[in-house]
Amino acid sequence: ILQSRGTPAEWRSVAWKYPAICLAIVGCWELSVSLRGFVEVKWRRSATQRIHDLYFSQMGYYRLQTHGKEFEVLDPDARICTDVKAMVEVAAAYLFSLAQAAVFAVINMH
């Protein structure tokens, strides 16, 4: 063990590589988080618009009120927002976890 100490140049090389790798990993992680947020906003906007259009097409809001108490939705607009948000967050988390697994698999193959 004492024989593998290395030269000062090798130590300096390692001393610079470790922080550089850590910064690169943190940068990639933050980019991933930002990209996930961007994707969530885009998907949420698209899904909300589509559901909103379906809700107001052919007077769907009147049909919600005429189906009786067991099908009553107290606040359909708020329900659309909360359900779409939950669905988009789960879908984006799943997509990005698959992407991260693929990246880690490729990194570990080399």
Side-chain angles (χ1 to χ4, degrees), residues 25-66:
I25 289 170
V26 168
C28 289
W29 184 264
E30 288 301 318
L31 178 65
S32 172
V33 169
S34 297
L35 186 60
R36 179 178 165 186
F38 178 75
V39 166
E40 283 180 9
V41 168
K42 287 290 211 182
W43 286 357
R44 188 172 174 188
R45 181 181 297 134
S46 175
T48 302
Q49 185 64 43
R50 293 181 101 184
I51 291 173
H52 183 267
D53 290 345
L54 287 171
Y55 175 64
F56 283 105
S57 70
Q58 302 172 0
M59 295 188 201
Y61 45 90
Y62 286 122
R63 284 184 289 192
L64 282 176
Q65 295 172 356
T66 60

Side-chain angles (χ1 to χ4, degrees), residues 4-17:
S4 63
R5 288 185 183 175
T7 65
E10 290 171 336
W11 282 103
R12 280 192 295 273
S13 171
V14 170
W16 283 105
K17 284 181 185 177

Side-chain angles (χ1 to χ4, degrees), residues 8 36 66-67 83 87 93 100 103:
R36 179 178 165 186
T66 60
H67 280 299
D83 289 353
M87 186 252 335
Q100 284 177 345
V103 168

Side-chain angles (χ1 to χ4, degrees), residues 75-93:
D75 192 1
D77 296 334
R79 176 79 185 267
I80 288 170
C81 290
T82 56
D83 289 353
V84 166
K85 180 181 181 199
M87 186 252 335
V88 165
E89 286 175 350
V90 168

